[in-house]
Amino acid sequence: MEHKPSNINILAIESSCDDTAAAVIVNDHIRSNIVSSQAGHHQFGGVVPELASRNHQQNMVPVVHAALQEAQLNATDLSAIAFTQGPGLMGSLLVGYSFAKSIALAMNIPLIAVNHLQAHVFAHFIEKPYPKFPFLCLLVSGGHTQLIVVQENFSMQVIGHSIDDAAGEAFDKTAKLLGLGYPGGPVLDRLAKKGNPDAFVFSKARVEGYDYSFSGLKTSILYFLRSEVEKNPDFIAQHLNDLCASVQKNIVSYLMEKLTKAANDLGIRHIGIAGGVSANSLLREVLQKEGMNNNWETYIPAFEYCTDNAAMIARAAQHLYHEKIFATEESVPFAKYKIDS
Ligand code: KG4
Ligand code: ZN
């Protein structure tokens, strides 16, 4: 008699940018979540695509091995395998795709293609309590800033987005101007805790509706720093914490203004944040405060599910598995891939 495992065991692979990650979900429970962050990019001040794909190539087998081992499963126990289809760096995506496809073929199990942006939203459905619907999610990462309305069937509609830089880029580019290295978001967050958020005031771009614009902030900070450093070469060092706190306040309050407006206009009261920037301590704090003021239910993923990880890919894959949505010949990676693709 053929042995049919009663558990649905899915291995998920995430390789869209510079982190090689693998996770195993057993039914609706994450059993392992391994991330190997690539350190080699720091010296270049940003992610080098060629280097990233080479590193994925080296890290993939050990990371997948660790994920299976921690989940106490063998490859033969898998019900399906999932990979990140996009958006991301093409060379990096191809490593995860090729690896996942070969396992699917070798084990004769279904292959599941996961949209990375949707997966960031699915990070909210890993640990209970899950958000109720309709759910308004602010997705803020290194490459994207989007306001998304999520319906009960997990259909996702983008109602606002950044017309230029993402919120994560605003953090990273400012941090770079302040000499904080890459990626600067987490460092800026740490230093901001010791600074005065009202020390310096930077303007916010006026954009229609629920859209954002962040590229002007970087330019105004650049000009401001240039003129101050001309007068006092030690200006940045002497005011570093205050600069970080002021920039962080500017970005977070701008993000919150549009989120609050959308929630009020649409009458949605289940509100969450997702993506790397949702690890920001001020954003997490302000969302909770606004939630209390507005009688919202607020949802913030655990830190390990905010920045890029494979657990969120696994959770999205579990949903697709139950919907019987499997990869086809057309499910190749896409560098530019919309959330509602
Ligand atoms: O979601 P993510 O890990 O990767 C992408 O899909 O882009 O997001 C990475 C972004 C980077 O811009 C990083 O600086 C930012 O998230 N980030 C933060 C914090 N932690 C990560 N930004 C501000 N404060 C943080 N604590
Ligand atoms: Zn991401």
Side-chain angles (χ1 to χ4, degrees):
M1 198 177 80
E2 193 190 337
H3 171 70
K4 280 238 160 67
S6 49
N7 284 337
I8 304 301
N9 306 322
I10 302 175
L11 169 69
I13 288 167
E14 153 63 33
S15 69
S16 62
C17 191
D18 59 337
D19 293 325
T20 316
V24 172
I25 190 166
V26 175
N27 303 325
D28 61 357
H29 180 68
I30 295 291
R31 276 271 195 96
S32 63
N33 183 29
I34 310 287
V35 184
S36 163
S37 298
Q38 303 179 2
H41 303 279
H42 293 228
Q43 57 182 309
F44 301 107
V47 176
V48 184
E50 173 73 22
L51 196 63
S53 38
R54 287 182 195 205
N55 287 346
H56 282 306
Q57 198 77 263
Q58 285 177 353
N59 297 339
M60 192 56 75
V61 171
V63 166
V64 166
H65 187 72
L68 285 172
Q69 202 167 38
E70 200 174 302
Q72 297 183 325
L73 291 178
N74 294 314
T76 47
D77 299 320
L78 294 175
S79 319
I81 178 155
F83 69 97
T84 301
Q85 190 178 11
L89 301 170
M90 184 46 86
S92 294
L93 291 166
L94 279 169
V95 177
Y97 166 63
S98 311
F99 189 86
K101 192 174 176 181
S102 23
I103 293 190
L105 286 170
M107 311 303 298
N108 196 23
I109 52 175
L111 181 65
I112 302 174
V114 174
N115 181 314
H116 181 91
L117 300 176
Q118 288 188 3
H120 270 301
V121 176
F122 269 98
H124 282 282
F125 298 86
I126 292 176
E127 285 176 348
K128 288 181 177 156
Y130 298 158
K132 297 206 177 61
F133 303 100
F135 170 49
L136 178 62
C137 187
L138 170 68
L139 167 55
V140 270
S141 70
H144 294 83
T145 302
Q146 300 186 330
L147 273 169
I148 303 155
V149 178
V150 188
Q151 303 293 351
E152 184 126 33
N153 61 359
F154 288 103
S155 73
M156 299 184 194
Q157 187 199 0
V158 178
I159 57 163
H161 69 280
S162 174
I163 57 169
D164 41 52
D165 288 355
E169 274 177 290
F171 272 107
D172 294 339
K173 287 179 177 173
T174 310
K176 204 168 179 177
L177 292 175
L178 296 173
L180 302 180
Y182 179 88
V187 186
L188 198 144
D189 184 355
R190 188 161 42 77
L191 298 179
K193 290 197 174 83
K194 295 179 274 183
N196 172 10
D198 299 312
F200 306 103
V201 178
F202 301 104
S203 60
K204 292 172 193 151
R206 269 196 221 136
V207 189
E208 286 284 297
Y210 310 127
D211 287 344
Y212 295 97
S213 164
F214 284 102
S215 64
L217 176 65
K218 170 199 61 193
T219 317
S220 70
I221 293 170
L222 174 69
Y223 288 142
F224 172 73
L225 291 177
R226 255 192 211 158
S227 86
E228 291 300 323
V229 168
E230 232 168 67
K231 291 179 258 168
N232 169 13
D234 295 329
F235 178 81
I236 294 179
Q238 285 168 4
H239 298 90
L240 187 58
N241 296 342
D242 288 349
L243 284 164
C244 289
S246 302
V247 169
Q248 179 172 270
K249 183 182 172 182
N250 176 291
I251 298 173
V252 168
S253 62
Y254 188 37
L255 288 172
M256 287 304 302
E257 275 167 26
K258 301 266 176 160
L259 176 62
T260 306
K261 180 175 160 46
N264 287 339
D265 290 355
L266 303 173
I268 298 180
R269 50 174 303 278
H270 295 276
I271 315 287
I273 49 176
V277 180
S278 65
N280 182 266
S281 53
L282 183 68
L283 181 59
R284 294 166 87 93
E285 188 188 311
V286 175
L287 178 75
Q288 273 165 339
K289 267 196 210 145
E290 278 283 288
M292 281 193 276
N293 294 341
N294 291 285
N295 194 27
W296 295 340
E297 294 293 328
T298 54
Y299 305 89
I300 303 177
F303 279 112
E304 66 262 41
Y305 304 138
C306 288
T307 45
D308 284 350
N309 66 89
M312 66 183 194
I313 306 295
R315 180 59 185 84
Q318 185 224 17
H319 168 73
L320 294 169
Y321 184 93
H322 287 291
E323 296 289 312
K324 298 189 173 54
I325 301 174
F326 299 115
T328 64
E329 290 296 308
E330 280 82 51
S331 311
V332 292
F334 297 108
K336 290 198 162 61
Y337 198 41
K338 292 201 176 135
I339 195 162
D340 48 4
S341 296

